[in-house]
Amino acid sequence: MGRLQDRVAVVTGASGGIGRHIAAALAREGAAVVVHYWRSEDAARDLVAAIEAAGGRARAVVGDLTNPDDAAAVVAAASSTFGRFDILVNNAGVARDGLVLRMSDDAWQAVLDTNLTGAFFCIRAALREFLRQRRGRIVNITSTAGQVGNAGQANYVAAKAGLIGLTRAVAREVGSRGITVNAVAPGFIDAGMTGGLSDAVVARYMAQIPLGRAGSPEDVAAAVVFLASEEASYITGQVLNVDGGMVMH
């Protein structure tokens, strides 16, 4: 029996990259999973089919998380589909990189809206259920960039740093009600947004990683499963870096 048997999770941005692996890992541990997507319907449905083929339960749900009504509907799909709601994983994110002097207002706002405000909308909707049942797990996917900064990513870094602050604020608000709120901060992960980097940039990152390798999406997913499980019931307001030691505090 898996660590998340009979639990129900919502994973935002689950159609590709790290989100896909998080959703699959939660399902392998016994959770039913709401697979959220915005534009990648085929990928989301493929993931649902793969989870079901392996004996799990999943449902694909579309939603624009920058719209509070859509975000609330995505979260509500857990209870309406599977009868309960236990775990929210805020993974959805976008990047529109550029130097500050050249960054458009739209590029700034689009990243903040999805990566930070969208997570807030989902958390607010989830808490309405979690507070009522006096239990729940929230795991926010931030980034080591939000801890140390990256040139050319002011919007992304600001959003991810904001997500760390949001994690800690909500953890303090709801801890007495049996709800834990934590964050996972991936470092250099071989998936999704890192795919287009040059060899020189990759080499520069590798030189900063004591373990000497890029991380995998499975590494991140394992951290999420742990924080969502009963094993982490006395952990809240924390940021778990999955970065091979690249950032040490």
Side-chain angles (χ1 to χ4, degrees):
M1 185 175 291
R3 286 179 284 173
L4 303 175
Q5 198 67 36
D6 299 324
R7 296 289 189 257
V8 176
V10 172
V11 181
T12 69
S15 59
I18 290 173
R20 182 181 184 89
H21 287 83
I22 291 171
L26 293 171
R28 283 194 300 273
E29 290 290 342
V33 183
V34 172
V35 173
H36 162 261
Y37 69 96
W38 177 220
R39 293 187 173 89
S40 305
E41 180 177 3
D42 289 347
R45 298 200 181 283
D46 286 348
L47 175 58
V48 168
I51 289 172
E52 291 178 341
R57 297 180 297 157
R59 177 191 171 194
V61 176
V62 66
D64 175 5
L65 299 184
T66 67
N67 180 312
D69 293 334
D70 273 23
V74 169
V75 168
S79 293
S80 63
T81 303
F82 299 112
R84 60 183 293 164
F85 178 36
D86 306 279
I87 302 159
L88 169 64
V89 182
N90 280 309
N91 169 77
V94 298
R96 290 179 61 180
D97 297 349
L99 298 174
V100 169
L101 284 173
R102 299 175 184 170
M103 185 174 290
S104 69
D105 295 349
D106 286 347
W108 170 266
Q109 200 63 52
V111 172
L112 268 291
D113 285 349
T114 296
N115 297 19
L116 182 56
T117 304
F120 165 73
F121 288 154
C122 289
I123 289 170
R124 186 174 62 186
L127 287 180
R128 294 189 177 113
E129 291 198 52
F130 288 172
L131 288 168
R132 198 161 47 240
Q133 64 197 23
R134 299 186 71 89
R135 68 171 187 275
R137 296 279 188 272
I138 299 173
V139 183
N140 298 318
I141 307 303
T142 179
S143 170
T144 54
Q147 299 169 323
V148 298
N150 272 346
Q153 287 194 307
N155 48 3
Y156 184 81
V157 170
K160 292 300 189 181
L163 193 55
I164 291 172
L166 179 62
T167 297
R168 291 172 173 155
V170 178
R172 288 190 182 277
E173 284 190 20
V174 301
S176 65
R177 304 297 289 273
I179 302 163
T180 67
V181 189
N182 293 288
V184 172
F188 189 77
I189 305 298
D190 188 14
M193 295 181 185
T194 62
L197 298 178
S198 69
D199 290 344
V201 171
V202 171
R204 191 163 70 244
Y205 276 114
M206 289 301 172
Q208 301 173 41
I209 302 173
L211 291 186
R213 68 170 178 87
S216 70
E218 290 85 358
D219 293 324
V220 180
V224 174
V225 168
F226 167 66
L227 290 173
S229 74
E230 287 305 306
E231 295 170 341
S233 63
Y234 198 57
I235 299 172
T236 197
Q238 303 303 310
V239 181
L240 177 55
N241 282 26
V242 181
D243 66 353
M246 185 168 66
V247 177
M248 298 187 188
H249 297 283

